[in-house]
Amino acid sequence: MNAAARLLEPDPIEIDPRPCGLCGRTIDQHECVDDGEGPEFYCFPDDDILTRWELADVRDARRHTGEPAPQASARNSDITPSPTSAPAHYRTPQATRDAFWFVVNLCDPARLKAWLADHPRDARHLLKLLEGK
């Protein structure tokens, strides 16, 4: 092959390195179907996904690893991770604050009261903002 032909030859298609949101595999590890409209990629059967879930659970991993069965305390326990800290403090989103100021500028007390009734988590904080202005 001469140098001119090599310059015209396209580079190989780069495989998308992001994992699939359903199965965690990359696109090259999916089933490809092309019916003329362009390729479509499908996850493989759920058996492999089930295996991954079972391996992630200490109570089921032994089915695939050959380890002995866990003690009764582990088999009957909750495996969800315990929270290391208290849940994050709720903050009124900026979009809600902007909407609040829009309603305030309408100068319609009845509408403001109805709007605040629709936003009970934010009402106290927003009224403090209004009083401070």
Side-chain angles (χ1 to χ4, degrees), residues 1-125:
M1 181 184 293
N2 61 22
R6 272 189 255 142
L7 291 175
L8 296 176
E9 189 175 311
D11 293 332
I13 297 174
E14 189 173 318
I15 300 299
D16 189 355
R18 294 174 296 170
C20 173
L22 296 173
C23 67
R25 296 181 179 143
T26 56
I27 292 299
D28 62 324
Q29 297 171 333
H30 283 72
E31 180 179 354
C32 177
V33 176
D34 191 353
D35 59 0
E37 294 286 322
E40 293 183 38
F41 297 93
Y42 296 100
C43 295
F44 282 102
D46 293 335
D47 295 343
D48 191 47
I49 292 173
L50 180 63
T51 301
R52 288 176 186 232
W53 287 344
E54 288 177 342
L55 284 170
D57 186 339
V58 296
R59 298 171 297 187
D60 295 328
R62 65 184 178 83
R63 296 179 185 165
H64 305 281
T65 61
E67 296 175 1
Q71 296 177 351
S73 60
R75 285 194 311 262
N76 301 325
S77 66
D78 182 20
I79 63 164
T80 56
S82 60
T84 56
S85 62
H89 180 70
Y90 175 76
R91 291 186 177 179
T92 301
Q94 183 63 44
T96 304
R97 284 185 248 150
D98 293 342
F100 170 73
W101 289 117
F102 176 80
V103 175
V104 167
N105 289 330
L106 294 176
C107 300
D108 184 357
R111 188 164 184 180
L112 177 61
K113 185 176 179 181
W115 190 91
L116 287 170
D118 288 340
H119 298 82
R121 280 183 89 180
D122 305 308
R124 186 175 179 186
H125 173 71

